[in-house]
Amino acid sequence: MDEAGHPSEADVAATADARAGRALVEARVALCTPEEQAAFWEAVGRCFGGGKPPEIQGDA
């Protein structure tokens, strides 16, 4: 939690719903071709400014 009592990104990512959602996304992305995966992560980067999650950096 931050000083104002709001959950941090790590706090939110640790929830059961977030973990389940991430697992679904990872499973779907795993079914994609490398080109589709690259397009997906490019879109994520445009929308959220982050691109690939740190543990996926260097893949593709």
Side-chain angles (χ1 to χ4, degrees):
M1 296 268 177
D2 67 12
E3 295 167 5
H6 300 110
S8 69
E9 187 172 340
D11 293 334
V12 173
T15 66
D17 286 341
R19 289 191 312 271
R22 182 181 178 120
L24 287 173
V25 169
E26 289 176 348
R28 293 291 298 267
V29 170
L31 298 173
C32 295
T33 66
E35 294 81 14
E36 291 168 331
Q37 289 180 20
F40 172 80
W41 290 115
E42 182 181 329
V44 168
R46 283 195 312 270
C47 292
F48 299 103
K52 294 182 180 182
E55 65 273 13
I56 299 178
Q57 294 289 338
D59 291 358

